[in-house]
Amino acid sequence: MSSNNIDWREIEEKWIKRWDEQKLFQADPEPSRKKYFVTVAYPYPNSPQHIGHGRTYTLADAHARYMRMKGYNVLFPMGFHYTGTPILGMSRRVAAGDKDLLDTFHNIYKLTDDVIATFVEPVKIASYFHNEIKQGMKEMGYSMDWRREFTTIDRIYSKFISWQFRTLQKKGLIVQGSHPVGWCPNDQNPVSQHDTMGDVEPDFTEYVLVKFVAQNDGLVVPAATLRPETLFGVTNMWVDPEVEYVEARVDGERWIVSKEAARKLEFLNHAIEIIKTIKGSEMVGWQLTNPLNGAKVPMYPASFVEADSGTGIVMSVPAHAPYDYQALADLKNDAAMRQKYDIATVAEPVKIIESEGYSGIPAAEAIANVPANSSDRLEKATSDLYSHEFYKGRMMQNTGKYAGKPVSAAKEELKAEIASSGLTSVMYELTNKPVICRCGTECVVKLLNDQWFLNYADKEWKALAHECIQKMDIVPADIRQEFDYVVDWLRERACARKSGLGTKLPWDPEWIIESLSDSVIYMAYYTIAKYVNDKTIPDTETISDSFFDYVLFGQGDAKAVAKESGVPAIEKIRAEFQYFYPVDSRHSGRDLVPNHLSFFIFNHVAIFDRSNWPRQIVVNGSVLMEGKKMSKSLGNIIPLRAAIREHGADTIRLAMLVSAEILQDADFSFDTARGIKSKLAGVFEMAEKVKNAKQAPAEQVEDRWLASRLVRTALQTAESMDRLRVREAIHHILYTLEQDLQWYDRRARAKGRENSPAVVSALREYVKAQVQMLAPFAPFTAEEVWERLGSKETITAAGWPSTDESKLDILAEESEFLAQSLIADIANIVKVTKIAPKKIVVYTGAGWKNNAYKTVLENIAAGRTNFGDMMKQLIANPETSRIKSDPNLVKKMQDDILSTPLEARSRRTALTDFDEASAIKDAAGLIAKEFDGAEVLVYSEDDHSKYDPKGKAKFARSFKPAVYME
């Protein structure tokens, strides 16, 4: 059946409606059933979702559907995140007629002018895209309980967030003070990932500003450094002759910095008064004083100095900084430059740190250690040397009282000493600039005064977060260290701002709680939202902290709280929370590990008892489009709903999930999508052929083999899904099973029984099992095929196919495995010898060899691989003592076993008696057919009447027949 003959849209609409009518995904507490609570990041409705967004949600849905099929009572809800400034910024850009934004609306999202005109109201933007995203989720087949839907500006949700913040405040985890934050100068607000173009989290570094002094008139010439311990090795300063610098009064001192630095210093609360400008070329040749040791250092010209990096002036430590070493070498070799600026002699590097592996000038040796053709040679040398010296370096005698101290210790001691002496200041610099606010303004680092912060620097809070990380399941496991790393470096984080949508800070209503602070425990609100939406909880002022204290903590008297809040059903709501909490699985993208997912952990451990800490976090990579990052400039952003209309929901779901394992970036390819669509059409075609088949018992070995393979594949796929190795699971279903089907078809046709009742019945069971396994990933196809096969219940209710290991038929599986291996061996012989065989003679090993093989197999399975020990054991046994005449046979058996799949080894260990000759004779018809009707003869090596003109039989080994052809 061609995919063009299937009305995919009609099937999708049918099942969306059917699921909704059956309320199939509405989960309510059922104490007799095990629950499973799956959540995924609620979307920010400022645009339609595109294919890139779909991966995280599809993974979560496949997980939820799989757990339902295993019998769990699964809750998979969804809300919408309106909080923050992005929607506000977008509304302003619409009002200003921003061409880039309007082009996106017209050309990518296909919006009409009438719709866009309403976007001058921020809530209209959120409402429009909310509905667009929700419809797309339904069209993708996401199995969500929509009774629990909410937005983060709903009144009861705001009360919930107010309760959350008052709870944190009571625990002393919200503080007010001065701390650096990413900042939008236009919006006058702190910014985080949700507020920036491309969802970039502002990342900044603290630099030490060292106050060098110009000898001529006491001007301060500050330089930013991450390595204050290297001050002893400063030989010169670098300035860009072409840059225009400013002399400015900074907190009463006269400083020389770049214009860009002066602006950055203003945001760090320095009082800045520009006095005059000065060209960098005028500063070349100045003699400066090192504030640490009084050494005189000259100012040299350098074009690599960046005006917007640090202060625009760089201190040079050529012995320990590869960039400085190279620049100094270049200056020595540039006679014209030296003559232009009257530089008679060039400073020499001063070594101040010794470490194992570096005997000369460390920077020079570090550069030499990196291949000369490396594009980032100096960057690599810098990274290697800095790390090596920090962990293994010691200060030398020319560093005074710091001599002999580890660099790591000297750095902190020296930093504290010179700071207390007033010789330095502090500067914060964005490390991932430019970071652009959604309003279009480039962000800076600002030192905020009287700002409210979540104190993620609190050591006791960090310890609880680490404990939670160690106890929970993190998928994949190797991402766990990233969480620990984030918890270690997280510091105070601004949790409120002065504008945007959201909840007012309860005790200081001038502030609005920001979007990465009101989205960390909302999973608990899903257990409440259902009762808000059905009016059990009134949208009134009667809902106070006591309501949430009782529902979420069990604190207070139920009757008193019910009366106070006007919610008689409060005990039922409390029971719902207790039934569904904690979160069993939280799905999100890797980009949220440094912020949302870590905040999710922090806030849960602060607010809830250990019994309600999250049990699992699942982290996935992003999505590429045909190998390229999605971007508007490449024109490869495809809205999800448009992709569904073009290719079908199941095709999109599978194409997103099959291309990579969970943490890898998935490469969405339309060629892959077309191939998958063809495979799904093949499932329909097969179902059409066998839908009227009557159940019939297995008649031959291949029938038993297919039934066994279905059970084994169901086991393997379940094992993959239990570890959320989704790509592997889909491979089992779409590719491994298809190979099994092709083999079964060849076997049945070779015997002329392809239309027999037993075969047609077996194929019907195959299709049923395949679509049951396919259901979490391609639910529309699975449901439709399941119904066409005559089922009256949904495929979800039918559950996962049988994984009863007692139904495995290892004898049948070994028989078919032997036949497959033998055909492959014969094909290789034909390929090498170029023989077109008329007769194929197969010899199975002698009985005593089977006993020897069993002994070798058991030893290897037990981890005993010593050849000498194995030989002694075989020779000591009368049944296998003949091995001493051919010790090389044992080595070959070992090689055979070690090259055999573990599944086959395990099967052979369990087989008590296996007749290889009978299995091969059963497949003789297929062997003959595969090799142009050649005559096939099968003998045992022990058979005295065998046809063996070339003496090939003696080479036969267990499960490795010898072959003669003529």
Side-chain angles (χ1 to χ4, degrees):
M1 181 180 294
S2 167
S3 62
N4 295 328
N5 297 329
I6 300 170
D7 191 334
W8 302 96
R9 191 69 197 135
E10 181 182 348
I11 292 169
E12 290 161 2
E13 289 173 353
K14 166 186 171 180
W15 287 103
I16 290 170
K17 182 180 179 183
R18 182 86 60 87
W19 292 331
D20 192 47
E21 290 171 348
Q22 294 177 343
K23 301 178 180 179
L24 193 62
F25 310 127
Q26 294 184 6
D28 295 306
E30 294 183 47
S32 63
R33 292 177 65 196
K34 289 192 295 183
K35 65 90 181 182
Y36 201 82
F37 186 12
V38 181
T39 68
V40 61
Y42 49 19
Y44 198 84
N46 65 340
S47 67
Q49 289 194 310
H50 56 67
I51 285 177
H53 294 118
R55 187 184 186 197
T56 301
Y57 295 90
T58 304
L59 276 166
D61 184 63
H63 191 189
R65 285 179 173 276
Y66 169 70
M67 296 306 289
R68 277 194 202 92
M69 294 190 77
K70 288 182 69 178
Y72 285 85
N73 184 17
V74 175
L75 174 59
F76 182 35
M78 184 50 58
F80 291 85
H81 197 193
Y82 283 28
T83 307
T85 58
I87 290 174
L88 200 63
M90 180 175 280
S91 177
R92 290 171 181 165
R93 290 173 67 193
V94 171
D98 186 298
K99 184 178 183 303
D100 184 53
L101 181 61
L102 296 179
D103 284 348
T104 298
F105 284 157
H106 285 128
N107 301 326
I108 297 178
Y109 303 149
K110 310 299 182 186
L111 303 185
T112 65
D113 288 332
D114 289 345
V115 170
I116 296 171
T118 68
F119 287 179
V120 292
E121 295 181 47
V123 174
K124 289 289 179 67
I125 296 175
S127 177
Y128 179 86
F129 288 121
H130 173 153
N131 293 326
E132 175 78 10
I133 293 168
K134 180 178 178 179
Q135 190 58 36
M137 288 178 167
K138 288 188 171 184
E139 290 172 4
M140 279 291 283
Y142 297 156
S143 55
M144 293 166 172
D145 185 346
W146 288 106
R147 296 174 304 161
R148 301 170 189 273
E149 179 183 2
F150 65 87
T151 81
T152 57
I153 60 171
D154 293 350
R155 188 152 70 145
I156 302 300
Y157 185 81
S158 288
K159 288 177 176 290
F160 168 71
I161 296 302
S162 296
W163 167 85
Q164 172 197 338
F165 266 66
R166 276 190 286 262
T167 301
L168 292 170
Q169 186 193 38
K170 289 174 189 174
K171 292 175 179 286
L173 298 174
I174 297 179
V175 296
Q176 191 174 29
S178 298
H179 296 283
V181 297
W183 179 262
C184 174
N186 181 58
D187 287 344
Q188 292 289 295
N189 257 328
V191 293
S192 58
Q193 182 179 20
H194 289 173
D195 307 304
T196 62
M197 299 285 195
D199 291 331
V200 176
E201 178 71 24
D203 186 23
F204 47 86
T205 299
E206 178 184 313
Y207 287 84
V208 175
L209 275 191
V210 183
K211 299 178 181 179
F212 290 83
V213 180
Q215 281 186 289
N216 48 3
D217 58 1
L219 275 173
V220 172
V221 183
T225 182
L226 292 171
R227 301 187 70 189
E229 77 282 3
T230 63
L231 267 170
F232 291 102
V234 174
T235 61
N236 62 282
M237 306 287 280
W238 298 112
V239 66
D240 187 338
E242 302 303 318
V243 166
E244 196 169 74
Y245 292 81
V246 296
E247 180 183 330
R249 199 172 302 281
V250 179
D251 302 331
E253 296 179 337
R254 287 165 53 234
W255 286 18
I256 297 285
V257 294
S258 66
K259 288 180 177 179
E260 293 84 350
R263 179 173 181 268
K264 289 184 289 188
L265 289 167
E266 282 188 293
F267 287 107
L268 298 177
N269 295 341
H270 291 282
I272 306 292
E273 178 192 347
I274 305 297
I275 299 171
K276 65 177 183 179
T277 61
I278 180 170
K279 199 74 181 289
S281 56
E282 298 176 47
M283 298 159 61
V284 176
W286 282 12
Q287 290 293 315
L288 306 175
T289 301
N290 185 328
L292 180 64
N293 56 12
K296 304 300 183 286
V297 293
M299 185 81 81
Y300 288 161
S303 59
F304 68 81
V305 175
E306 297 177 3
D308 66 345
S309 179
T311 62
I313 298 167
V314 177
M315 70 179 217
S316 173
V317 189
H320 302 281
Y323 278 102
D324 293 336
Y325 180 87
Q326 188 62 53
L328 210 59
D330 292 343
L331 183 60
K332 285 181 181 179
N333 294 326
D334 191 340
M337 180 70 75
R338 293 200 315 275
Q339 183 177 5
K340 178 179 180 180
Y341 291 105
D342 194 24
I343 301 171
T345 59
V346 176
E348 294 294 330
V350 177
K351 183 177 178 181
I352 60 167
I353 296 169
E354 58 186 0
S355 60
E356 184 182 345
Y358 291 92
S359 57
I361 298 298
E365 294 178 7
I367 294 171
N369 289 338
V370 180
N373 59 356
S374 176
S375 60
D376 57 350
R377 191 182 191 193
L378 291 178
E379 186 65 36
K380 179 74 166 58
T382 299
S383 175
D384 292 347
L385 183 58
Y386 279 18
S387 177
H388 179 85
E389 290 188 334
F390 181 80
Y391 291 107
K392 297 181 180 180
R394 287 189 174 275
M395 306 300 288
M396 293 174 61
Q397 288 302 313
N398 55 357
T399 63
K401 65 181 180 180
Y402 296 99
K405 290 188 176 184
V407 168
S408 55
K411 176 178 181 175
E412 296 307 318
E413 289 181 30
L414 181 59
K415 180 180 175 182
E417 179 185 331
I418 56 180
S420 64
S421 303
L423 302 178
T424 63
S425 184
V426 172
M427 187 175 196
Y428 296 95
E429 187 89 84
L430 283 170
T431 54
N432 57 341
K433 62 184 179 183
V435 177
I436 309 298
C437 176
R438 289 187 185 272
C439 73
T441 304
E442 185 169 346
C443 299
V444 296
V445 180
K446 180 172 175 59
L447 195 62
L448 272 188
N449 296 323
D450 301 323
Q451 164 72 34
W452 293 102
F453 294 88
L454 282 160
N455 188 18
Y456 291 131
D458 185 283
K459 291 182 179 178
E460 292 182 6
W461 200 1
K462 286 180 184 288
L464 287 174
H466 279 304
E467 180 187 338
C468 180
I469 290 166
Q470 292 310 307
K471 288 181 176 178
M472 74 161 62
D473 179 29
I474 294 181
V475 180
D478 52 8
I479 204 83
R480 189 184 305 274
Q481 63 186 16
E482 287 191 27
F483 281 98
D484 281 323
Y485 173 74
V486 170
V487 168
D488 283 336
W489 66 252
L490 266 177
R491 51 199 169 194
E492 298 86 353
R493 179 184 171 82
C495 60
R497 58 198 52 189
K498 291 292 181 78
S499 65
L501 303 177
T503 301
K504 292 183 183 298
L505 197 62
W507 57 87
D508 194 350
E510 289 186 5
W511 295 89
I512 297 168
I513 296 168
E514 62 93 35
S515 62
L516 278 168
S517 299
D518 80 339
S519 59
V520 288
I521 63 163
Y522 69 86
M523 310 82 201
Y525 188 77
Y526 283 127
T527 65
I528 296 169
K530 180 182 78 173
Y531 296 101
V532 174
N533 294 337
D534 70 7
K535 310 301 182 187
T536 298
I537 298 173
D539 187 4
T540 66
E541 292 302 322
T542 60
I543 303 301
S544 63
D545 284 2
S546 63
F547 170 82
F548 296 107
D549 283 340
Y550 183 78
V551 170
L552 303 176
F553 293 160
Q555 293 177 359
D557 178 74
K559 290 183 179 178
V561 176
K563 183 176 180 181
E564 176 192 335
S565 61
V567 185
I570 194 166
E571 290 187 76
K572 182 180 180 183
I573 300 169
R574 164 72 179 157
E576 177 133 349
F577 170 77
Q578 287 180 297
Y579 176 79
F580 281 116
Y581 234 65
V583 173
D584 292 289
S585 186
R586 175 67 175 171
H587 284 252
S588 201
R590 188 174 192 170
D591 58 317
L592 297 186
V593 171
N595 41 68
H596 165 73
L597 287 173
S598 294
F599 304 157
F600 164 71
I601 293 170
F602 266 103
N603 283 266
H604 269 82
V605 301
I607 292 173
F608 296 105
D609 291 337
R610 284 175 173 79
S611 61
N612 280 322
W613 288 3
R615 291 176 175 167
Q616 181 187 68
I617 289 177
V618 180
V619 180
N620 62 266
S622 59
V623 179
L624 304 175
M625 179 65 70
E626 303 283 4
K628 297 177 182 177
K629 187 175 180 179
M630 294 187 190
S631 72
K632 286 185 290 184
S633 62
L634 294 174
N636 62 358
I637 292 180
I638 300 175
L640 196 56
R641 295 186 70 191
I644 294 168
R645 287 191 292 272
E646 178 72 20
H647 300 281
D650 286 347
T651 297
I652 298 297
R653 288 171 65 110
L654 286 165
M656 282 192 292
L657 299 181
V658 78
S659 69
E661 281 302 353
I662 196 163
L663 195 58
Q664 299 168 331
D665 288 345
D667 187 5
F668 185 90
S669 158
F670 288 111
D671 283 343
T672 299
R674 284 186 282 272
I676 286 171
K677 197 169 191 177
S678 177
K679 284 187 179 295
L680 294 178
V683 175
F684 275 98
E685 183 177 4
M686 175 68 76
E688 193 64 28
K689 289 178 181 177
V690 302
K691 66 181 182 181
N692 296 319
K694 305 297 182 185
Q695 190 165 2
E699 292 178 345
Q700 304 215 16
V701 64
E702 61 268 19
D703 302 336
R704 301 198 312 274
W705 171 82
L706 184 62
S708 185
R709 285 295 301 158
L710 292 176
V711 174
R712 192 171 296 281
T713 303
L715 277 165
Q716 291 171 335
T717 306
E719 183 182 337
S720 297
M721 281 303 292
D722 288 341
R723 294 182 295 145
L724 286 170
R725 294 187 60 83
V726 176
R727 179 178 184 268
E728 185 177 86
I730 295 172
H731 185 88
H732 290 319
I733 300 163
L734 286 184
Y735 299 96
T736 304
L737 273 183
E738 185 176 275
Q739 291 169 1
D740 289 345
L741 178 64
Q742 290 170 354
W743 174 257
Y744 181 71
D745 182 64
R746 285 161 65 191
R747 287 282 274 134
R749 288 183 182 280
K751 294 181 178 180
R753 55 187 300 267
E754 63 269 23
N755 295 317
S756 73
V759 169
V760 179
S761 175
L763 291 175
R764 187 174 187 275
E765 293 304 309
Y766 167 91
V767 177
K768 286 177 63 179
Q770 185 181 38
V771 295
Q772 281 176 279
M773 286 183 264
L774 199 55
F777 314 103
F780 296 110
T781 297
E783 289 281 21
E784 183 66 19
V785 170
W786 190 249
E787 184 180 71
R788 292 186 187 188
L789 290 172
S791 178
K792 301 301 181 186
E793 64 179 352
T794 66
I795 200 162
T796 299
W800 195 252
S802 174
T803 54
D804 183 354
E805 293 192 40
S806 69
K807 295 182 179 179
L808 293 173
D809 190 327
I810 60 173
L811 190 64
E813 288 193 35
E814 189 55 50
S815 295
E816 299 307 297
F817 184 76
L818 178 63
Q820 291 169 342
S821 302
L822 177 59
I823 289 173
D825 286 346
I826 295 171
N828 284 333
I829 295 169
V830 168
K831 183 178 180 181
V832 170
T833 62
K834 310 293 191 218
I835 293 174
K838 302 298 182 188
K839 180 184 287 187
I840 299 172
V841 187
V842 181
Y843 309 97
T844 60
W848 72 271
K849 289 182 180 178
N850 293 336
N851 293 329
Y853 182 91
K854 191 90 169 177
T855 300
V856 176
L857 179 60
E858 288 170 355
N859 274 279
I860 289 176
R864 298 187 297 268
T865 57
N866 183 275
F867 176 74
D869 292 344
M870 229 177 277
M871 282 297 296
K872 289 177 185 176
Q873 186 181 356
L874 290 164
I875 292 170
N877 184 345
E879 293 185 353
T880 57
S881 59
R882 292 169 59 183
I883 200 80
K884 63 185 176 184
S885 63
D886 187 9
N888 196 44
L889 179 60
V890 177
K891 288 189 178 296
K892 289 180 178 178
M893 286 181 177
Q894 285 180 312
D895 291 342
D896 289 344
I897 292 167
L898 291 173
S899 64
T900 299
L902 287 172
E903 180 186 314
R905 289 191 223 171
S906 175
R907 186 171 60 232
R908 290 172 184 178
T909 301
L911 281 171
T912 54
D913 188 28
F914 180 63
D915 187 346
E916 289 185 43
S918 294
I920 296 169
K921 286 175 182 176
D922 189 83
L926 176 59
I927 296 171
K929 189 174 181 180
E930 295 279 313
F931 298 98
D932 298 326
E935 179 185 7
V936 178
L937 303 174
V938 183
Y939 298 101
S940 167
E941 181 185 353
D942 292 330
D943 188 346
H944 297 297
S945 63
K946 61 183 175 290
Y947 178 72
D948 188 15
K950 297 293 185 180
K952 294 282 188 180
K954 63 177 177 289
F955 297 113
R957 303 190 296 275
S958 298
F959 303 101
K960 196 72 174 174
V963 177
Y964 167 71
M965 294 189 300
E966 60 182 36

